[in-house]
Amino acid sequence: QPGNQIISSSTAGPSTPQTTSVNTWRNNSQSKNNELYIEQTYGTNNTVNITQTGTKNRIDFTMGGNNNIVNNTQTGSNYLKEEIPGWGNNVTINQNNTSSSNYAETKIQGNGNTVNHTQTGTGNHILFNVVTGDINTVNATQTGSAGHYAETKLTGNWNNVTVNQSGNTQNK
């Protein structure tokens, strides 16, 4: 039975701090050339696979807990920030954008959660996720040339969320 849920879809758009992060990333004229930061302060049996190609890719990453699996692939101008305290979480994020930028931020607390994000196309896709609780599944896909925005906040246990944004018209 589903637990408490907060699923947010707002026409107001990202918050001021989120907009600042996005604009700072997009407006930075420096070529990042695949920067990567990982800070794992504790945990065992975690698996992390990261592939980055192109220019200005950057991943900020903090992991703790046990038996987490993280797979990140970025091609193009992307930016990604993750925090995953908990155990048994499975996160797969694929961003592919060669002429504009993607931005994804995923925070997970809890255990046994699965998060899959795919961002493709030339649009300025933005995606924020916060998952708190256990055994939740979030699948999000953003494709096309429009700048899509999705923010999913999920609290509780045993919830499933699917977000699909596509096309040449902006979806929020």
Side-chain angles (χ1 to χ4, degrees), residues 35-57:
E35 287 188 22
L36 174 67
Y37 309 104
I38 295 177
E39 179 181 320
Q40 182 174 354
T41 57
Y42 64 94
T44 59
N45 296 322
N46 292 312
T47 302
V48 178
N49 297 303
I50 296 174
T51 303
Q52 296 187 109
T53 58
T55 59
K56 205 176 177 183
N57 303 310

Side-chain angles (χ1 to χ4, degrees), residues 89-111:
N89 296 299
N90 190 338
V91 178
T92 301
I93 298 177
N94 296 307
Q95 296 184 105
N96 185 349
N97 190 330
T98 57
S99 66
S100 202
S101 69
N102 298 316
Y103 175 80
E105 183 170 328
T106 300
K107 297 179 181 179
I108 296 175
Q109 290 183 338
N111 308 310

Side-chain angles (χ1 to χ4, degrees), residues 4-111:
N4 298 329
Q5 299 181 55
I6 300 173
I7 301 173
S8 176
S9 177
S10 172
T11 57
S15 67
T16 300
Q18 293 167 335
T19 301
T20 301
S21 294
V22 170
N23 290 337
T24 300
W25 171 250
R26 285 187 186 153
N27 296 330
N28 189 348
S29 61
Q30 255 182 333
S31 177
K32 295 295 179 195
N33 291 325
N34 307 321
E35 287 188 22
L36 174 67
Y37 309 104
I38 295 177
E39 179 181 320
Q40 182 174 354
T41 57
Y42 64 94
T44 59
N45 296 322
N46 292 312
T47 302
V48 178
N49 297 303
I50 296 174
T51 303
Q52 296 187 109
T53 58
T55 59
K56 205 176 177 183
N57 303 310
R58 178 185 147 191
I59 294 178
D60 235 336
F61 191 85
T62 301
M63 179 183 268
N66 303 318
N67 301 311
N68 294 300
I69 299 171
V70 176
N71 296 297
N72 294 328
T73 303
Q74 297 190 141
T75 302
S77 180
N78 326 287
Y79 172 76
L80 173 69
K81 180 180 182 181
E82 291 180 328
E83 298 178 23
I84 307 173
W87 59 266
N89 296 299
N90 190 338
V91 178
T92 301
I93 298 177
N94 296 307
Q95 296 184 105
N96 185 349
N97 190 330
T98 57
S99 66
S100 202
S101 69
N102 298 316
Y103 175 80
E105 183 170 328
T106 300
K107 297 179 181 179
I108 296 175
Q109 290 183 338
N111 308 310

